[in-house]
Amino acid sequence: MVAYPVMMYFLIDPGLPLEALYLPTFLRSFGNAIFFCMLTIYLEELMPFQHFFMGLTMAGIIRNGPVSTMCSGLYSFGLRHQMADNMARGLPYDASNLLMISIRQLYGITCIIGIAVLLIFLLWDIQPVRSTLKKMPAWNFVGKMIKKNTLSKNSSFSRKEI
């Protein structure tokens, strides 16, 4: 996930071909896939099976709701601030070049933050959550458990009707 802003920082250029963006976009998507696989593993370890899918849904709602909105807002504010700062300096460039410089500055800040977080994760000695393997129930057991609960609820309804 850190490779994306680093590559974008060095790739941003007025004559950038579209094909140059394929690898950074692939790396970003690959990093997101690894991140959410790890999130799924940690949620499975921390929550009982009955609440696992609710926890996964809540993590998705939080990520796609307030977190993505805050990040978009921070980037738009940062771009506005950098653009105004670059225009106030009186740099001898037109608006499109000033926009490119502002985007490159934002990617530079993102690179520094991403590398710092990566170093913290690498250097901080965290006890792994998976100290023991929790047994995930087999799907046929889950089906039998749901069938048993459904039949017991249906039988209680039929007794009330009689």
Side-chain angles (χ1 to χ4, degrees), residues 118-134:
L118 183 64
L119 285 174
I120 289 170
F121 283 159
L122 289 174
L123 297 176
W124 191 15
D125 188 24
I126 302 172
Q127 180 183 358
V129 173
R130 290 187 80 130
S131 57
T132 61
L133 287 176
K134 183 170 122 181

mmCIF file of all heavy atoms in Angstrom, residues 118-134:
data_model
loop_
_atom_site.group_PDB
_atom_site.id
_atom_site.type_symbol
_atom_site.label_atom_id
_atom_site.label_comp_id
_atom_site.label_asym_id
_atom_site.label_seq_id
_atom_site.Cartn_x
_atom_site.Cartn_y
_atom_site.Cartn_z
ATOM 1 N N LEU A 118 4.643 2.296 8.316
ATOM 2 C CA LEU A 118 5.248 1.002 7.989
ATOM 3 C C LEU A 118 6.423 0.701 8.912
ATOM 4 O O LEU A 118 6.555 -0.421 9.414
ATOM 5 C CB LEU A 118 5.696 0.988 6.527
ATOM 6 C CG LEU A 118 6.283 -0.296 6.001
ATOM 7 C CD1 LEU A 118 5.239 -1.397 6.021
ATOM 8 C CD2 LEU A 118 6.809 -0.100 4.595
ATOM 9 N N LEU A 119 7.261 1.691 9.192
ATOM 10 C CA LEU A 119 8.382 1.489 10.121
ATOM 11 C C LEU A 119 7.898 1.199 11.542
ATOM 12 O O LEU A 119 8.477 0.370 12.245
ATOM 13 C CB LEU A 119 9.304 2.703 10.121
ATOM 14 C CG LEU A 119 10.196 2.843 8.894
ATOM 15 C CD1 LEU A 119 10.965 4.159 8.939
ATOM 16 C CD2 LEU A 119 11.150 1.670 8.781
ATOM 17 N N ILE A 120 6.844 1.882 11.960
ATOM 18 C CA ILE A 120 6.284 1.604 13.291
ATOM 19 C C ILE A 120 5.805 0.167 13.364
ATOM 20 O O ILE A 120 6.071 -0.539 14.337
ATOM 21 C CB ILE A 120 5.149 2.601 13.622
ATOM 22 C CG1 ILE A 120 5.727 3.984 13.885
ATOM 23 C CG2 ILE A 120 4.338 2.125 14.811
ATOM 24 C CD1 ILE A 120 4.680 5.083 13.992
ATOM 25 N N PHE A 121 5.099 -0.300 12.326
ATOM 26 C CA PHE A 121 4.625 -1.686 12.323
ATOM 27 C C PHE A 121 5.781 -2.674 12.302
ATOM 28 O O PHE A 121 5.702 -3.740 12.911
ATOM 29 C CB PHE A 121 3.715 -1.947 11.133
ATOM 30 C CG PHE A 121 2.327 -1.393 11.291
ATOM 31 C CD1 PHE A 121 1.537 -1.167 10.186
ATOM 32 C CD2 PHE A 121 1.801 -1.096 12.542
ATOM 33 C CE1 PHE A 121 0.254 -0.667 10.315
ATOM 34 C CE2 PHE A 121 0.532 -0.598 12.692
ATOM 35 C CZ PHE A 121 -0.246 -0.383 11.568
ATOM 36 N N LEU A 122 6.848 -2.349 11.593
ATOM 37 C CA LEU A 122 7.987 -3.267 11.519
ATOM 38 C C LEU A 122 8.814 -3.290 12.799
ATOM 39 O O LEU A 122 9.353 -4.328 13.176
ATOM 40 C CB LEU A 122 8.879 -2.894 10.331
ATOM 41 C CG LEU A 122 8.313 -3.177 8.953
ATOM 42 C CD1 LEU A 122 9.248 -2.629 7.887
ATOM 43 C CD2 LEU A 122 8.085 -4.656 8.748
ATOM 44 N N LEU A 123 8.922 -2.154 13.467
ATOM 45 C CA LEU A 123 9.784 -2.061 14.647
ATOM 46 C C LEU A 123 9.064 -2.320 15.958
ATOM 47 O O LEU A 123 9.701 -2.641 16.960
ATOM 48 C CB LEU A 123 10.452 -0.683 14.697
ATOM 49 C CG LEU A 123 11.392 -0.375 13.536
ATOM 50 C CD1 LEU A 123 11.909 1.047 13.657
ATOM 51 C CD2 LEU A 123 12.535 -1.371 13.482
ATOM 52 N N TRP A 124 7.764 -2.171 15.973
ATOM 53 C CA TRP A 124 7.004 -2.340 17.207
ATOM 54 C C TRP A 124 6.753 -3.831 17.402
ATOM 55 O O TRP A 124 6.154 -4.490 16.569
ATOM 56 C CB TRP A 124 5.697 -1.582 17.107
ATOM 57 C CG TRP A 124 4.934 -1.452 18.379
ATOM 58 C CD1 TRP A 124 5.372 -1.677 19.637
ATOM 59 C CD2 TRP A 124 3.573 -1.040 18.505
ATOM 60 N NE1 TRP A 124 4.379 -1.428 20.543
ATOM 61 C CE2 TRP A 124 3.264 -1.036 19.872
ATOM 62 C CE3 TRP A 124 2.600 -0.669 17.607
ATOM 63 C CZ2 TRP A 124 2.009 -0.682 20.344
ATOM 64 C CZ3 TRP A 124 1.365 -0.316 18.079
ATOM 65 C CH2 TRP A 124 1.075 -0.321 19.433
ATOM 66 N N ASP A 125 7.194 -4.345 18.524
ATOM 67 C CA ASP A 125 7.061 -5.766 18.804
ATOM 68 C C ASP A 125 5.678 -6.024 19.386
ATOM 69 O O ASP A 125 5.430 -5.815 20.572
ATOM 70 C CB ASP A 125 8.148 -6.226 19.777
ATOM 71 C CG ASP A 125 8.166 -7.723 19.957
ATOM 72 O OD1 ASP A 125 7.697 -8.433 19.049
ATOM 73 O OD2 ASP A 125 8.644 -8.189 21.002
ATOM 74 N N ILE A 126 4.765 -6.493 18.544
ATOM 75 C CA ILE A 126 3.393 -6.744 18.946
ATOM 76 C C ILE A 126 3.195 -8.248 19.055
ATOM 77 O O ILE A 126 3.567 -8.998 18.160
ATOM 78 C CB ILE A 126 2.403 -6.174 17.908
ATOM 79 C CG1 ILE A 126 2.617 -4.684 17.727
ATOM 80 C CG2 ILE A 126 0.968 -6.463 18.313
ATOM 81 C CD1 ILE A 126 1.832 -4.089 16.593
ATOM 82 N N GLN A 127 2.606 -8.667 20.164
ATOM 83 C CA GLN A 127 2.269 -10.074 20.292
ATOM 84 C C GLN A 127 1.160 -10.382 19.291
ATOM 85 O O GLN A 127 0.160 -9.670 19.222
ATOM 86 C CB GLN A 127 1.788 -10.394 21.697
ATOM 87 C CG GLN A 127 1.426 -11.856 21.867
ATOM 88 C CD GLN A 127 0.880 -12.131 23.257
ATOM 89 O OE1 GLN A 127 0.810 -11.237 24.091
ATOM 90 N NE2 GLN A 127 0.491 -13.352 23.493
ATOM 91 N N PRO A 128 1.334 -11.429 18.499
ATOM 92 C CA PRO A 128 0.311 -11.710 17.488
ATOM 93 C C PRO A 128 -1.024 -12.102 18.120
ATOM 94 O O PRO A 128 -1.067 -12.669 19.200
ATOM 95 C CB PRO A 128 0.904 -12.881 16.691
ATOM 96 C CG PRO A 128 1.929 -13.477 17.580
ATOM 97 C CD PRO A 128 2.422 -12.386 18.485
ATOM 98 N N VAL A 129 -2.074 -11.743 17.449
ATOM 99 C CA VAL A 129 -3.408 -12.088 17.924
ATOM 100 C C VAL A 129 -3.611 -13.592 17.832
ATOM 101 O O VAL A 129 -4.230 -14.205 18.682
ATOM 102 C CB VAL A 129 -4.479 -11.339 17.096
ATOM 103 C CG1 VAL A 129 -5.876 -11.811 17.455
ATOM 104 C CG2 VAL A 129 -4.360 -9.854 17.322
ATOM 105 N N ARG A 130 -3.039 -14.200 16.805
ATOM 106 C CA ARG A 130 -3.209 -15.636 16.592
ATOM 107 C C ARG A 130 -2.190 -16.416 17.402
ATOM 108 O O ARG A 130 -1.322 -17.072 16.869
ATOM 109 C CB ARG A 130 -3.047 -15.976 15.128
ATOM 110 C CG ARG A 130 -4.166 -15.486 14.275
ATOM 111 C CD ARG A 130 -3.976 -16.032 12.912
ATOM 112 N NE ARG A 130 -4.456 -17.394 12.915
ATOM 113 C CZ ARG A 130 -5.286 -17.885 12.027
ATOM 114 N NH1 ARG A 130 -5.722 -17.132 11.068
ATOM 115 N NH2 ARG A 130 -5.688 -19.126 12.099
ATOM 116 N N SER A 131 -2.282 -16.391 18.716
ATOM 117 C CA SER A 131 -1.376 -17.186 19.539
ATOM 118 C C SER A 131 -1.792 -18.653 19.531
ATOM 119 O O SER A 131 -0.958 -19.535 19.633
ATOM 120 C CB SER A 131 -1.325 -16.635 20.963
ATOM 121 O OG SER A 131 -2.621 -16.623 21.511
ATOM 122 N N THR A 132 -3.068 -18.899 19.413
ATOM 123 C CA THR A 132 -3.570 -20.268 19.254
ATOM 124 C C THR A 132 -4.550 -20.267 18.088
ATOM 125 O O THR A 132 -5.203 -19.257 17.820
ATOM 126 C CB THR A 132 -4.301 -20.756 20.521
ATOM 127 O OG1 THR A 132 -5.416 -19.910 20.758
ATOM 128 C CG2 THR A 132 -3.383 -20.749 21.727
ATOM 129 N N LEU A 133 -4.646 -21.385 17.436
ATOM 130 C CA LEU A 133 -5.573 -21.476 16.317
ATOM 131 C C LEU A 133 -6.974 -21.782 16.824
ATOM 132 O O LEU A 133 -7.175 -22.737 17.556
ATOM 133 C CB LEU A 133 -5.126 -22.568 15.336
ATOM 134 C CG LEU A 133 -3.915 -22.226 14.500
ATOM 135 C CD1 LEU A 133 -3.523 -23.425 13.647
ATOM 136 C CD2 LEU A 133 -4.198 -21.034 13.616
ATOM 137 N N LYS A 134 -7.887 -20.934 16.467
ATOM 138 C CA LYS A 134 -9.282 -21.143 16.830
ATOM 139 C C LYS A 134 -9.914 -21.988 15.735
ATOM 140 O O LYS A 134 -9.718 -21.730 14.557
ATOM 141 C CB LYS A 134 -9.979 -19.787 16.931
ATOM 142 C CG LYS A 134 -11.411 -19.855 17.368
ATOM 143 C CD LYS A 134 -11.899 -18.453 17.657
ATOM 144 C CE LYS A 134 -13.070 -18.127 16.812
ATOM 145 N NZ LYS A 134 -13.570 -16.791 17.023
#
